[in-house]
Amino acid sequence: MNPRLIYRWVLYAAAFVLMTTSCTKDLSLKEVIPDEIKGMSDLQVAPDFNFKTTLQITLKVISKDFTGLPATKIEVFNANPNSGGQLIKTGITNRDQVFETLLILPAHLNQFFIRRTTFNQHVETVTLDIQSENIEYTFSASKSANVFKSTFLGPGCTDCATSIAYALTGKYSLPKDSKVCILVGASFTGELDLNGGTLVVCGSLNLTSLKGKGTVIINNGGFFQAISLNIYDKESAFINYSDAFILSSTFALSGVFENYGTISLSSLNINANGQFKNYGTVTLSGDLNNSNYCFNEGNLTVGANVSHNAGEITNACRLTVNGTLSINSTFKNSSYVNVKTDLNFNKGPLYLSNQSLIETKNFTVNSSIVAEGDAYSKISVSGISRINGGGIFSGKIDYWVENGIETNLGTMGRDIRFDNLYIPTTYCNPGSNLAGGIVIIDTDADGVADEFDAYSTDGSKAFNNFFPSAESWGTLAFEDLWPYLGDFDFNDMILDYQINQITNASDKVVEIGIALKVRAIGAAFKNGFGIQLPIVSSAIYNVSGDFSYTQGIINLNDNNTEQNQSQAVVVFFDNAFKLLPHPGVSTGVNTTPGATFVNPKIINFTIKLSYPIAPEILGEPPYNPFIFVNEIRGREVHLKNHAPTSLATTQNFGTGADISSITSGITYQTEKGLPWGINMVEPFDYPIEKAAIIDAYTYFADWALSAGTSNTDWYKKIDGYRNVNLIY
């Protein structure tokens, strides 16, 4: 590891001075000026820094424009939900159209996303910058159909390996696997070879031909023009954020194309490997031919015909076809489709949802139409309707034919209606029979519409709130030699967690789902694991799950919490080796390179609460986690400055390298402020056996010395951030 030069830093906080005067040992850090940091023993960390990788934000969302109307659904994502962003919080507004909640986010984030869905399926997504611990946002007016166009910004022309700053013509090949930017005011005209790299256009790109695999990004304010565009490589991507995108001839797509801006095309052929995704505005003067995947969450207008030959078309906003729409494969509509002439449904199925609407002049049906959900969707035909023998209607469909069904040889399900029902107006959908009024279905009468409710038949539950998210895990990493110093490889117990705080309509927690994944044991001790919650044991109705008790040291109450505890404690297992058996060689399990790998073990638990509890009271998941060492129940190891349970052996505090002073809140840390456990809000690639974390991760020391204010992404998989030879 390269030595790090650490500059002078001074701690002036009066609160810290008061805190240290009550400690049993002198913790004052008046001035620390180490010349070089070579190992963990050289670190001097602030005693009140808990090695947290998270930040807490109080969020308030106001749906001002829906005052007096039914509640709106609010979802929070850690990134752009249309580019892999993960859902981390869900709830609804109250009678004042206000939603307030506590968010726990990775400390390295600079922004997050909120999405509002109204009772009439009006969907808006906005980006919020993280500038304080209290963030408020007001939805004041309905947006246009192109919500994402004004919300999402391109990456800009920064961090470029090469920049084009002038007018360049001819042939240009990107340096292999590199990022090249055309700066504002600059341009390239000619033949482009991507060569595995990425081209970001903030100026102008006038393309005569394109070859090679790679990515092209037209940034906001950038300009793109070509006669034709052929993307033949399935691993290539073309992403547009601009309103100046002009293509005068055919667009042939075998890779990925995403649009967040405004595009004018002649015609579009989506080939067998092509993926076309629109979140902005696309206007075609000619035909659209699809043979793989077409997704629309913006405004897509086709001047001529649409031939859907294979794959899937999903419409989540507004699709207008001025000619004929021919469907020969899966078609999904959750919003609005308007066909000016003929809709020929030859082969499907055709799925309808979310009070969607299809309007067409003539309609011929030869396959299955399926409506999903409890609210009616509608097909409105102003001209001729022909339902042939293969035509099957099922689910809640209102089939409205102004002049009556001319031919009906098909099958109509029992829920089919012919009543010209009301379909609400949204920013995508103009609605139908608007005099029909507002209909809200709430089966369990909890105040949450069924379309928003994850538990529509259980009035006590409404929303899932996964931490860190439904798609990811956090990681707990422990050293087990407390109160003595170990090797700081933080792999004596590696345990991933995923926690679901199930809330009711009032954003109170009623149930906690806990999934644990035992990944590694870098120790010889038989260690157990549990959590302490900041509530009394009686606040828990019952705990169930995959408990593993084999050592005879755990005593339980009737609700499966641990006995003789002042706060609720749940012990999940008392010997990790029973879940992750030793392979017979090396020290521990899954910490020594080359040793036999043992598949991680996942265990699941459910904590049902006796009454709803506010998330702020429960605190940040995974609450107060701890291990207990080598079959000694009282020898607990918690995260830094977390309280021990009532069963912890107090004689160990202040011995060895530990300087705990429980009455002052200083616990589980060394004289230099180092911990025996850390909590990672994202999956953690832990060090191999005997490799200290400071050697495995380049910026761990900088992060720790700054008390978590700098290098907050130190654990990410980024070039230069880690020594891969020291990570398992």
Side-chain angles (χ1 to χ4, degrees), residues 52-237:
K52 287 182 60 173
T53 57
T54 59
L55 56 87
Q56 293 190 7
I57 291 175
T58 299
L59 173 67
K60 182 178 183 180
V61 180
I62 305 170
S63 287
K64 183 178 180 180
D65 52 336
F66 274 74
T67 301
L69 295 173
T72 60
K73 180 181 179 181
I74 305 297
E75 297 169 294
V76 183
F77 297 83
N78 59 11
N80 179 353
N82 293 300
S83 300
Q86 298 172 350
L87 178 65
I88 57 174
K89 183 68 183 180
T90 306
I92 61 168
T93 53
N94 59 22
R95 67 178 61 187
D96 298 318
Q97 289 292 1
V98 175
F99 174 68
E100 291 187 79
T101 193
L102 177 68
L103 299 180
I104 311 296
L105 300 170
H108 63 79
L109 288 186
N110 297 315
Q111 61 182 19
F112 62 95
F113 292 71
I114 59 173
R115 181 166 69 191
R116 179 182 74 162
T117 305
T118 67
F119 70 93
N120 57 358
Q121 294 301 309
H122 180 117
V123 180
E124 297 181 49
T125 303
V126 296
T127 311
L128 297 182
D129 293 330
I130 300 174
Q131 298 178 337
S132 71
E133 295 178 353
N134 297 282
I135 296 178
E136 181 175 313
Y137 183 81
T138 299
F139 289 95
S140 58
S142 299
K143 295 188 177 182
S144 67
N146 192 5
V147 173
F148 291 99
K149 172 188 165 187
S150 60
T151 300
F152 296 134
L153 299 177
C157 287
T158 59
D159 302 323
C160 307
T162 303
S163 294
I164 298 174
Y166 52 91
L168 181 66
T169 61
K171 296 182 180 180
Y172 183 73
S173 178
L174 272 63
K176 186 172 178 59
D177 299 327
S178 68
K179 180 179 178 181
V180 176
C181 295
I182 301 177
L183 302 181
V184 175
S187 64
F188 171 71
T189 301
E191 300 178 14
L192 178 65
D193 184 353
L194 294 176
N195 198 26
T198 298
L199 177 68
V200 182
V201 180
C202 294
S204 298
L205 175 61
N206 300 282
L207 204 60
T208 58
S209 69
L210 177 69
K211 67 178 182 178
K213 177 175 67 177
T215 301
V216 176
I217 301 173
I218 311 299
N219 205 64
N220 309 81
F223 176 84
F224 174 82
Q225 185 171 15
I227 295 175
S228 63
L229 179 61
N230 299 311
I231 302 176
Y232 293 122
D233 195 302
K234 65 180 181 180
E235 297 183 16
S236 290

Side-chain angles (χ1 to χ4, degrees), residues 425-660:
T425 299
T426 72
Y427 75 94
C428 293
N429 193 336
S432 178
N433 189 20
L434 300 181
I438 300 173
V439 178
I440 301 296
I441 300 173
D442 181 11
T443 301
D444 57 14
D446 63 351
V448 181
D450 285 4
E451 60 187 325
F452 297 160
D453 199 333
Y455 303 89
S456 59
T457 60
D458 185 341
S460 68
K461 299 188 289 188
F463 304 110
N464 293 313
N465 300 279
F466 286 93
F467 182 85
S469 76
E471 292 82 29
S472 67
W473 299 70
T475 302
L476 292 164
F478 287 99
E479 289 279 294
D480 68 357
L481 289 184
W482 181 88
Y484 304 101
L485 292 179
D487 50 17
F488 289 107
D489 56 14
F490 285 100
N491 67 16
D492 294 347
M493 174 84 78
I494 295 292
L495 189 70
D496 288 354
Y497 63 86
Q498 185 184 71
I499 296 175
N500 181 15
Q501 293 191 147
I502 301 173
T503 53
N504 61 15
S506 301
D507 197 38
K508 300 291 179 62
V509 181
V510 295
E511 186 174 301
I512 303 171
I514 298 179
L516 301 174
K517 183 193 299 181
V518 185
R519 287 171 59 200
I521 307 169
F525 291 154
K526 299 174 181 178
N527 299 331
F529 175 75
I531 61 170
Q532 179 173 247
L533 293 157
I535 54 178
V536 295
S537 296
S538 60
I540 293 178
Y541 177 75
N542 183 58
V543 185
S544 60
D546 304 321
F547 297 105
S548 176
Y549 302 143
T550 61
Q551 309 307 115
I553 57 176
I554 305 301
N555 299 303
L556 301 177
N557 296 312
D558 291 340
N559 62 358
N560 285 332
T561 59
E562 192 172 31
Q563 290 182 3
N564 302 315
Q565 295 281 12
S566 61
Q567 293 187 322
V569 172
V570 180
V571 175
F572 302 105
F573 56 85
D574 58 10
N575 180 2
F577 282 113
K578 294 296 183 179
L579 299 172
L580 204 66
H582 193 281
V585 294
S586 76
T587 299
V589 186
N590 296 344
T591 59
T592 302
T596 302
F597 178 76
V598 180
N599 289 326
K601 175 69 173 180
I602 296 177
I603 49 179
N604 294 283
F605 302 88
T606 299
I607 301 175
K608 293 184 178 181
L609 301 178
S610 301
Y611 47 84
I613 298 176
E616 305 85 68
I617 293 176
L618 291 174
E620 181 176 328
Y623 315 112
N624 183 357
F626 63 94
I627 62 172
F628 49 94
V629 179
N630 206 28
E631 303 178 82
I632 303 173
R633 177 59 190 86
R635 189 176 172 186
E636 297 179 358
V637 182
H638 291 249
L639 304 180
K640 181 178 174 181
N641 291 336
H642 283 55
T645 79
S646 301
L647 296 184
T649 304
T650 57
Q651 293 92 322
N652 291 328
F653 293 109
T655 66
D658 179 70
I659 61 155
S660 293

Side-chain angles (χ1 to χ4, degrees), residues 333-392:
N333 179 45
S334 60
S335 189
Y336 178 64
V337 175
N338 180 263
V339 182
K340 302 297 185 182
T341 58
D342 298 328
L343 199 170
N344 298 321
F345 178 40
N346 303 314
K347 184 179 179 181
L350 167 59
Y351 292 104
L352 308 175
S353 62
N354 294 335
Q355 293 184 298
S356 63
L357 174 63
I358 295 177
E359 292 182 325
T360 182
K361 181 178 180 181
N362 302 315
F363 191 28
T364 301
V365 183
N366 293 296
S367 191
S368 297
I369 303 175
V370 180
E372 301 175 316
D374 295 323
Y376 271 85
S377 292
K378 185 175 183 177
I379 300 174
S380 179
V381 182
S382 62
I384 299 173
S385 167
R386 297 185 180 91
I387 304 174
N388 296 320
I392 301 173

Side-chain angles (χ1 to χ4, degrees), residues 658-685:
D658 179 70
I659 61 155
S660 293
S661 173
I662 298 176
T663 56
S664 63
I666 299 294
T667 59
Y668 296 101
Q669 61 175 285
T670 71
E671 190 169 14
K672 292 194 172 185
L674 301 179
W676 276 268
I678 54 176
N679 172 30
M680 312 299 298
V681 72
E682 294 174 310
F684 180 54
D685 297 327

